[in-house]
Coordinates of all heavy atoms in Angstrom, one line a residue:
T147 N -2.3 93.6 127.4 CA -2.8 94.8 128.0 C -3.5 94.5 129.3 O -4.5 93.7 129.2 CB -3.7 95.6 127.0 OG1 -3.0 95.9 125.8 CG2 -4.1 96.9 127.7
P148 N -3.1 95.0 130.4 CA -3.8 94.6 131.7 C -5.2 95.0 131.7 O -5.6 96.1 131.2 CB -3.0 95.4 132.7 CG -1.7 95.7 132.1 CD -1.9 95.8 130.7
G149 N -6.1 94.1 132.2 CA -7.5 94.3 132.3 C -8.3 94.1 131.0 O -9.5 94.4 131.1
Q150 N -7.7 93.7 129.9 CA -8.4 93.5 128.7 C -8.3 92.0 128.2 O -7.3 91.4 128.4 CB -7.9 94.4 127.6 CG -8.1 95.9 127.9 CD -7.7 96.8 126.7 OE1 -7.3 96.3 125.7 NE2 -7.6 98.1 126.9
F151 N -9.4 91.5 127.6 CA -9.4 90.2 127.0 C -8.7 90.3 125.7 O -9.0 91.2 124.9 CB -10.8 89.7 126.8 CG -11.4 89.2 128.1 CD1 -12.3 90.0 128.8 CD2 -11.2 87.9 128.6 CE1 -12.9 89.6 130.0 CE2 -11.8 87.5 129.7 CZ -12.6 88.3 130.5
I152 N -7.7 89.4 125.4 CA -7.0 89.3 124.2 C -7.0 87.9 123.7 O -7.1 86.9 124.5 CB -5.6 89.9 124.3 CG1 -4.8 89.0 125.3 CG2 -5.6 91.3 124.7 CD1 -3.3 89.4 125.3
D153 N -7.0 87.7 122.4 CA -7.0 86.4 121.8 C -5.7 86.2 120.9 O -5.8 85.5 119.9 CB -8.2 86.2 121.0 CG -8.4 87.2 119.9 OD1 -7.6 88.2 119.8 OD2 -9.3 87.1 119.0
Q154 N -4.6 86.7 121.3 CA -3.3 86.5 120.6 C -2.8 85.1 120.6 O -2.2 84.6 119.7 CB -2.3 87.5 121.1 CG -2.6 89.0 120.8 CD -1.4 89.9 121.2 OE1 -0.5 89.4 121.8 NE2 -1.5 91.1 120.9
I155 N -3.0 84.4 121.8 CA -2.6 83.0 121.9 C -3.7 82.2 121.1 O -4.8 82.2 121.5 CB -2.5 82.6 123.3 CG1 -1.5 83.4 124.1 CG2 -2.2 81.1 123.4 CD1 -1.4 83.1 125.5
P156 N -3.2 81.4 120.1 CA -4.2 80.6 119.3 C -5.0 79.7 120.2 O -4.4 78.9 121.0 CB -3.3 79.9 118.3 CG -2.0 80.7 118.2 CD -1.9 81.3 119.6
G157 N -6.3 79.7 120.0 CA -7.2 78.8 120.7 C -7.5 79.2 122.1 O -8.2 78.4 122.8
N158 N -7.1 80.4 122.6 CA -7.4 80.8 123.9 C -7.8 82.3 124.0 O -7.3 83.1 123.2 CB -6.1 80.5 124.8 CG -5.8 79.1 125.0 OD1 -6.3 78.4 125.9 ND2 -4.9 78.6 124.1
M159 N -8.5 82.6 125.0 CA -8.9 83.9 125.4 C -8.3 84.2 126.8 O -8.7 83.5 127.7 CB -10.4 84.2 125.3 CG -10.8 85.6 125.6 SD -10.5 86.7 124.3 CE -11.8 86.2 123.1
V160 N -7.5 85.2 126.9 CA -6.8 85.4 128.2 C -7.0 86.9 128.7 O -7.2 87.8 127.9 CB -5.3 85.1 128.2 CG1 -5.1 83.7 127.8 CG2 -4.6 86.0 127.2
K161 N -6.9 87.0 130.0 CA -7.0 88.4 130.6 C -6.1 88.4 131.9 O -6.2 87.4 132.7 CB -8.4 88.8 131.0 CG -8.5 90.2 131.6 CD -10.0 90.5 131.9 CE -10.4 89.8 133.1 NZ -9.9 90.4 134.4
F162 N -5.3 89.4 132.0 CA -4.4 89.6 133.2 C -4.7 91.0 133.8 O -4.8 92.0 133.1 CB -2.9 89.5 132.8 CG -2.6 88.3 132.1 CD1 -1.8 88.3 130.9 CD2 -2.9 87.0 132.6 CE1 -1.5 87.2 130.3 CE2 -2.6 85.9 131.9 CZ -1.9 85.9 130.7
D163 N -4.9 91.0 135.1 CA -5.2 92.2 135.8 C -4.0 93.1 136.0 O -4.1 94.3 135.9 CB -5.8 91.9 137.2 CG -7.2 91.3 137.1 OD1 -7.8 91.5 136.0 OD2 -7.6 90.7 138.1
K164 N -2.8 92.5 136.1 CA -1.6 93.3 136.4 C -0.4 92.5 135.8 O -0.3 91.3 135.9 CB -1.5 93.5 137.9 CG -0.3 94.4 138.3 CD -0.2 94.6 139.8 CE 0.9 95.5 140.1 NZ 1.0 95.7 141.6
L165 N 0.5 93.3 135.2 CA 1.8 92.8 134.7 C 2.9 93.5 135.4 O 2.9 94.7 135.6 CB 1.9 93.0 133.2 CG 0.9 92.3 132.4 CD1 1.0 92.8 130.9 CD2 1.0 90.8 132.4
S166 N 4.0 92.8 135.8 CA 5.1 93.4 136.5 C 6.4 92.6 136.1 O 6.3 91.5 135.5 CB 4.9 93.4 138.0 OG 4.8 92.1 138.5
G167 N 7.5 93.1 136.6 CA 8.8 92.5 136.2 C 9.5 93.2 135.1 O 8.9 94.0 134.4
K168 N 10.8 92.8 134.9 CA 11.6 93.5 133.8 C 11.0 93.3 132.4 O 10.9 94.2 131.6 CB 13.0 92.9 133.9 CG 13.9 93.6 132.9 CD 15.4 93.0 133.1 CE 16.3 93.7 132.1 NZ 17.7 93.2 132.3
N169 N 10.5 92.0 132.2 CA 9.9 91.7 130.9 C 8.4 91.4 131.0 O 7.9 90.6 130.2 CB 10.7 90.5 130.2 CG 12.1 90.8 130.0 OD1 12.5 91.9 129.5 ND2 13.0 89.9 130.3
D170 N 7.8 91.9 132.0 CA 6.4 91.7 132.2 C 6.1 90.2 132.4 O 5.1 89.6 132.0 CB 5.5 92.2 131.1 CG 5.5 93.7 131.1 OD1 5.8 94.3 132.1 OD2 5.2 94.3 130.0
E171 N 7.1 89.5 133.1 CA 6.9 88.0 133.2 C 6.0 87.7 134.4 O 5.5 86.6 134.5 CB 8.3 87.4 133.4 CG 9.0 87.7 134.7 CD 9.8 89.0 134.6 OE1 9.7 89.7 133.6 OE2 10.6 89.2 135.5
N172 N 5.8 88.6 135.4 CA 5.0 88.3 136.5 C 3.6 88.9 136.3 O 3.4 90.0 135.9 CB 5.6 89.0 137.8 CG 7.0 88.4 138.1 OD1 7.2 87.2 138.0 ND2 7.9 89.3 138.5
I173 N 2.6 88.0 136.6 CA 1.2 88.4 136.3 C 0.3 88.1 137.5 O 0.6 87.3 138.3 CB 0.6 87.6 135.1 CG1 0.8 86.1 135.2 CG2 1.3 88.1 133.8 CD1 0.3 85.3 134.1
E174 N -0.7 88.9 137.6 CA -1.7 88.7 138.7 C -3.1 88.8 138.1 O -3.3 89.5 137.1 CB -1.5 89.8 139.8 CG -0.2 89.8 140.5 CD -0.1 90.9 141.5 OE1 -1.1 91.5 141.8 OE2 1.1 91.2 142.0
G175 N -4.0 88.1 138.8 CA -5.4 88.1 138.3 C -5.6 87.4 137.0 O -6.0 88.1 136.0
V176 N -5.3 86.1 136.9 CA -5.2 85.4 135.6 C -6.5 84.8 135.3 O -7.2 84.2 136.1 CB -4.1 84.3 135.7 CG1 -4.0 83.7 134.3 CG2 -2.8 84.9 136.1
F177 N -6.9 85.0 134.0 CA -8.2 84.3 133.5 C -7.8 83.8 132.1 O -7.5 84.6 131.2 CB -9.3 85.3 133.4 CG -10.6 84.7 132.9 CD1 -11.5 84.1 133.8 CD2 -10.9 84.6 131.6 CE1 -12.7 83.6 133.3 CE2 -12.0 84.1 131.1 CZ -12.9 83.5 132.0
V178 N -7.9 82.4 132.0 CA -7.6 81.8 130.7 C -8.8 80.9 130.3 O -9.2 80.0 131.1 CB -6.3 80.9 130.8 CG1 -6.1 80.3 129.4 CG2 -5.1 81.8 131.2
H179 N -9.4 81.2 129.1 CA -10.5 80.4 128.7 C -10.2 79.8 127.3 O -9.7 80.5 126.4 CB -11.7 81.3 128.5 CG -12.9 80.6 127.9 ND1 -13.6 79.7 128.7 CD2 -13.5 80.6 126.7 CE1 -14.6 79.2 127.9 NE2 -14.6 79.8 126.7
K180 N -10.3 78.5 127.3 CA -10.0 77.7 126.1 C -11.2 77.8 125.1 O -12.3 77.5 125.5 CB -9.8 76.3 126.4 CG -9.5 75.4 125.2 CD -9.3 73.9 125.6 CE -9.2 73.0 124.4 NZ -9.1 71.6 124.8
K181 N -10.9 78.2 123.9 CA -12.0 78.3 122.9 C -12.3 76.9 122.4 O -11.4 76.1 122.1 CB -11.5 79.1 121.7 CG -11.2 80.6 122.0 CD -10.7 81.3 120.8 CE -10.3 82.8 121.1 NZ -9.8 83.5 119.9
A182 N -13.6 76.6 122.3 CA -14.0 75.3 121.9 C -15.3 75.4 121.2 O -16.1 76.3 121.4 CB -14.1 74.4 123.2
S183 N -15.5 74.4 120.3 CA -16.8 74.3 119.6 C -17.8 73.6 120.6 O -17.6 73.2 121.7 CB -16.7 73.5 118.3 OG -16.3 72.2 118.6
S184 N -19.0 73.5 120.0 CA -20.1 72.9 120.9 C -19.9 71.4 121.1 O -20.5 70.8 122.0 CB -21.5 73.1 120.1 OG -21.4 72.5 118.8
Y185 N -18.9 70.8 120.4 CA -18.6 69.4 120.6 C -17.3 69.1 121.3 O -16.8 68.0 121.3 CB -18.6 68.7 119.2 CG -19.9 68.6 118.5 CD1 -20.3 69.6 117.6 CD2 -20.9 67.7 118.9 CE1 -21.5 69.6 117.0 CE2 -22.1 67.7 118.2 CZ -22.4 68.6 117.3 OH -23.7 68.6 116.7
E186 N -16.7 70.2 121.8 CA -15.5 70.1 122.6 C -15.7 70.5 124.0 O -16.6 71.3 124.3 CB -14.4 70.9 121.9 CG -13.9 70.5 120.6 CD -12.9 71.4 120.0 OE1 -12.9 72.6 120.3 OE2 -12.1 70.9 119.1
N187 N -14.9 69.9 124.9 CA -15.0 70.3 126.3 C -14.5 71.7 126.5 O -13.5 72.2 126.0 CB -14.1 69.3 127.2 CG -14.6 67.9 127.1 OD1 -15.8 67.7 126.9 ND2 -13.7 66.9 127.3
Q188 N -15.3 72.4 127.4 CA -14.9 73.8 127.7 C -14.0 73.8 129.0 O -14.2 72.9 129.9 CB -16.2 74.6 128.1 CG -17.3 74.6 127.0 CD -16.9 75.5 125.8 OE1 -16.1 76.4 126.0 NE2 -17.4 75.2 124.6
Q189 N -13.1 74.7 129.0 CA -12.2 74.7 130.1 C -11.8 76.2 130.4 O -11.5 77.0 129.5 CB -10.9 74.0 129.9 CG -9.9 73.9 131.1 CD -8.6 73.2 130.8 OE1 -7.7 73.8 130.2 NE2 -8.5 71.9 131.2
T190 N -11.9 76.5 131.7 CA -11.5 77.9 132.1 C -10.6 77.8 133.3 O -10.8 77.0 134.2 CB -12.8 78.7 132.5 OG1 -13.6 78.7 131.4 CG2 -12.4 80.1 132.9
I191 N -9.5 78.6 133.3 CA -8.6 78.6 134.4 C -8.6 80.0 135.0 O -8.4 81.0 134.3 CB -7.2 78.2 133.9 CG1 -7.2 76.8 133.3 CG2 -6.2 78.2 135.1 CD1 -5.8 76.5 132.6
V192 N -8.7 80.0 136.4 CA -8.6 81.2 137.1 C -7.5 81.1 138.2 O -7.5 80.1 138.9 CB -10.0 81.6 137.8 CG1 -9.9 82.9 138.6 CG2 -11.0 81.7 136.7
A193 N -6.6 82.1 138.3 CA -5.6 82.0 139.3 C -5.3 83.4 139.8 O -5.5 84.4 139.1 CB -4.3 81.4 138.7
K194 N -4.7 83.4 141.0 CA -4.4 84.7 141.6 C -3.2 85.3 141.0 O -3.1 86.5 140.8 CB -4.2 84.5 143.1 CG -5.5 84.2 143.9 CD -5.3 84.2 145.4 CE -6.6 83.9 146.1 NZ -6.4 83.9 147.6
R195 N -2.2 84.5 140.7 CA -0.9 85.0 140.1 C -0.3 83.9 139.3 O -0.7 82.7 139.3 CB 0.0 85.4 141.2 CG 0.4 84.4 142.2 CD 1.1 84.9 143.4 NE 1.4 83.9 144.4 CZ 2.4 83.1 144.4 NH1 3.3 83.2 143.4 NH2 2.6 82.2 145.3
G196 N 0.7 84.4 138.5 CA 1.4 83.4 137.6 C 2.7 84.0 137.2 O 3.1 85.2 137.5
K197 N 3.4 83.3 136.3 CA 4.7 83.7 135.8 C 5.0 83.1 134.5 O 4.8 81.9 134.3 CB 5.8 83.4 136.8 CG 7.2 84.0 136.5 CD 8.2 83.8 137.6 CE 9.5 84.5 137.2 NZ 10.5 84.2 138.3
F198 N 5.5 83.9 133.5 CA 6.0 83.3 132.2 C 7.4 82.8 132.4 O 8.3 83.6 133.0 CB 6.0 84.4 131.1 CG 4.6 84.7 130.7 CD1 4.0 86.0 131.0 CD2 3.9 83.8 130.0 CE1 2.8 86.3 130.5 CE2 2.6 84.1 129.5 CZ 2.0 85.4 129.8
I199 N 7.7 81.6 132.0 CA 9.0 81.0 132.1 C 9.5 80.5 130.7 O 8.7 79.9 130.0 CB 9.0 79.8 133.1 CG1 8.7 80.4 134.5 CG2 10.4 79.1 133.2 CD1 8.6 79.3 135.6
P200 N 10.7 80.8 130.4 CA 11.2 80.3 129.0 C 11.0 78.8 128.9 O 11.4 78.0 129.8 CB 12.7 80.7 129.0 CG 12.8 81.8 130.0 CD 11.8 81.5 131.1
A201 N 10.4 78.3 127.8 CA 10.2 76.9 127.6 C 11.4 76.3 126.8 O 12.2 77.0 126.2 CB 8.9 76.7 126.8
A202 N 11.6 75.0 127.0 CA 12.7 74.3 126.3 C 12.5 74.4 124.8 O 13.4 74.6 124.0 CB 12.7 72.9 126.7
N203 N 11.2 74.3 124.3 CA 10.9 74.5 122.9 C 10.4 75.9 122.7 O 9.3 76.3 123.3 CB 9.8 73.5 122.5 CG 9.6 73.4 121.0 OD1 9.9 74.4 120.3 ND2 9.0 72.3 120.6
K204 N 11.1 76.7 121.9 CA 10.7 78.1 121.7 C 9.4 78.3 121.0 O 8.9 79.4 120.9 CB 11.8 78.8 120.9 CG 13.2 78.8 121.6 CD 13.1 79.6 122.9 CE 14.5 79.6 123.6 NZ 14.4 80.3 124.9
N205 N 8.8 77.2 120.4 CA 7.5 77.3 119.8 C 6.4 77.3 120.8 O 5.2 77.4 120.4 CB 7.3 76.1 118.8 CG 8.2 76.3 117.6 OD1 8.4 77.4 117.1 ND2 8.7 75.2 117.0
Y206 N 6.7 77.1 122.1 CA 5.7 77.1 123.1 C 5.9 78.2 124.1 O 7.1 78.6 124.4 CB 5.7 75.7 123.8 CG 5.1 74.6 122.9 CD1 5.9 73.9 122.1 CD2 3.7 74.3 123.0 CE1 5.4 72.9 121.2 CE2 3.2 73.3 122.2 CZ 4.0 72.6 121.3 OH 3.5 71.7 120.5
L207 N 4.8 78.7 124.7 CA 4.9 79.7 125.7 C 4.5 79.0 127.1 O 3.4 78.4 127.2 CB 3.8 80.8 125.5 CG 3.8 82.0 126.4 CD1 5.1 82.7 126.4 CD2 2.7 82.9 126.1
K208 N 5.4 79.0 128.0 CA 5.2 78.3 129.3 C 4.7 79.3 130.3 O 5.3 80.3 130.6 CB 6.6 77.7 129.7 CG 6.5 76.8 131.0 CD 7.8 76.2 131.3 CE 7.7 75.3 132.5 NZ 9.0 74.7 132.9
L209 N 3.6 78.9 130.9 CA 3.0 79.7 132.0 C 2.7 78.9 133.2 O 2.0 77.9 133.2 CB 1.6 80.3 131.4 CG 0.8 81.1 132.4 CD1 1.6 82.4 132.8 CD2 -0.5 81.5 131.8
V210 N 3.3 79.3 134.3 CA 3.1 78.7 135.6 C 2.2 79.5 136.4 O 2.4 80.7 136.7 CB 4.5 78.5 136.3 CG1 4.3 77.8 137.7 CG2 5.5 77.7 135.5
L211 N 1.1 78.9 136.9 CA 0.0 79.6 137.6 C 0.0 79.1 139.1 O 0.3 77.9 139.3 CB -1.3 79.4 137.0 CG -1.5 79.8 135.5 CD1 -2.8 79.4 135.0 CD2 -1.2 81.3 135.4
Y212 N -0.3 80.0 140.0 CA -0.4 79.6 141.4 C -1.7 80.0 142.0 O -2.3 81.1 141.7 CB 0.8 80.4 142.2 CG 2.2 80.1 141.6 CD1 2.7 81.1 140.7 CD2 2.9 79.0 141.9 CE1 4.0 80.9 140.2 CE2 4.1 78.8 141.4 CZ 4.7 79.7 140.6 OH 5.9 79.5 140.1
D213 N -2.2 79.1 142.9 CA -3.4 79.3 143.7 C -4.6 79.7 142.9 O -5.0 80.9 142.8 CB -3.1 80.5 144.7 CG -4.2 80.6 145.8 OD1 -5.1 79.7 145.9 OD2 -4.2 81.6 146.5

Side-chain angles (χ1 to χ4, degrees):
T147 303
Q150 294 184 9
F151 284 95
I152 60 173
D153 58 353
Q154 292 183 355
I155 299 178
N158 293 273
M159 181 75 72
V160 299
K161 181 178 76 72
F162 305 129
D163 291 339
K164 185 179 179 181
L165 299 172
S166 61
K168 184 178 180 180
N169 298 315
D170 291 337
E171 68 275 11
N172 299 317
I173 53 178
E174 297 180 13
V176 184
F177 180 91
V178 179
H179 177 69
K180 177 183 176 183
K181 297 178 182 178
S183 65
S184 57
Y185 294 96
E186 294 178 333
N187 294 332
Q188 303 285 336
Q189 185 184 78
T190 302
I191 302 175
V192 178
K194 290 184 178 180
R195 56 189 178 87
K197 187 175 184 179
F198 288 110
I199 297 177
N203 189 340
K204 298 297 181 180
N205 288 326
Y206 287 87
L207 184 64
K208 185 177 180 181
L209 178 61
V210 180
L211 301 175
Y212 304 99
D213 193 8

